[in-house]
Amino acid sequence: MKQNLLAATPPMGWNSWDCYGASVNEEEVRGNAEYMATHLKDFGWEYVVVDIQWYEPGANSSQYRNFVPLVMDEYSRLQPAENRFPSAAGGKGFAPLAEYVHGLGLKFGIHIMRGIPRQAAHAASAILGSEQTARDVAHPNSICPWNTDMYGVDASKEGSQAYYDSLFQLYASWGVDYVKVDDIAASRIYGYHKEEVAMIRKAIDRSGREMVLSLSPGPAPVEEAEHLAGHANLWRMTDDYWDHWHLLRGMFERCEKWAPYVQPGHWPDCDMLPLGHLGIRSVDGGGDRFTRFTHDEQVTMMTLWSIFRSPLMFGGELRDNDDWTLSLLTNKEVLHLHRYGKGGSQVALNEAHAIWTSEDEQGNHYVALFNLSDEALTLQVSFEQLKVSIPNTIRDLWQSRDLEVVNEGISQTLPQHGSVLLKFK
């Protein structure tokens, strides 16, 4: 599958939703791209993704304004709102912003909703390359329960594939590298939109440009794992994830279920990293704040995402990062595991703790110990239990220090919700 070659390692980048909701503007995108180029690019971070409703001139938070006019061209295709993205003026779309991001050595992505704009269907607007109109291909009974922008597209109608083809031809002309499609992996009303996923995959392949395809929201159905892997590069295995311990705790079961399907080119997605400065104009997660996760919880989240090999999409305003937050994103030893690990699996899980193991292409073994309880906990694990030989060295990757090797195994005292990530050589 061609798309497998495109995302050979889990994508890493920034997405505007957690800090700006639907209202991000061009200055904010450029500013975060500049930060990434300066501070993160050398560590593998590369995607800059504009999330939902870039076509809505009046968007001001994560609360959608229902049934408002959207910016659209004559072929039923949404366009960036020029008051928020001035470089789009004159019909240039996102091409100038993508060019700017590319000039920094990074890649550019956008969020879209599945389907065709309702206003296009109501106006019977044209579809490029087809005699059918938006009204002909729209599926008015296939709607998103939390956003009023779109109708689904009826795959059985002539002109439906032409619409999606025209959409991705437009994105290819803009220079888009990454497309996050929403209300498609696990619609609250209709489940997995298999037919529209297939049309989108075909449209990308016909566009002449390689684009990473991300599907949201979750939880995507594990029984559709083969179809997901055959059409997309990543798919959400959870609904929107925020900085609450119970959501992080629940991710251990999700990761265990999806671990067998983690492969180059297709990545079950734990969702964005709610770190740093959040909620500037995104009220869904709790308003303007720095992450509610403690330092220990932040390390636990980064450890699980890394050993499981979830895509890493930072959600906060990058320019407000402190040294601590930056350190979480630039640990080369942890990121090596994230990029090159294999066989990550959960070998123990109960109310108090979890244990994950993995290895890399050099045959080094990794062990992550997690304290899931609300008090300090000492975990003792033998090398026999881990099914590894006594190593020559044990390295604590977050502390960047070697530990004493004891023949019996490892013993670690972890704080509440804390973790340790060890490399055996």
Side-chain angles (χ1 to χ4, degrees), residues 41-57:
K41 182 175 69 172
D42 290 345
F43 296 88
W45 300 83
E46 59 178 345
Y47 291 100
V48 176
V49 182
V50 179
D51 210 87
I52 194 168
Q53 283 201 324
W54 36 266
Y55 42 79
E56 210 280 72

Side-chain angles (χ1 to χ4, degrees), residues 25 71 91 95 141-142 155 160 218 225 233 240 268 278 327:
N25 61 44
V71 181
N141 290 327
S142 180
S160 295
N233 299 106
D240 283 5
L278 305 169
S327 74

Side-chain angles (χ1 to χ4, degrees), residues 54-56 71 78-83 85 88-89 92-95 174:
W54 36 266
Y55 42 79
E56 210 280 72
V71 181
L78 296 169
Q79 301 285 324
E82 294 177 13
N83 64 316
F85 298 94
K92 295 178 182 176
F94 271 133
W174 287 348

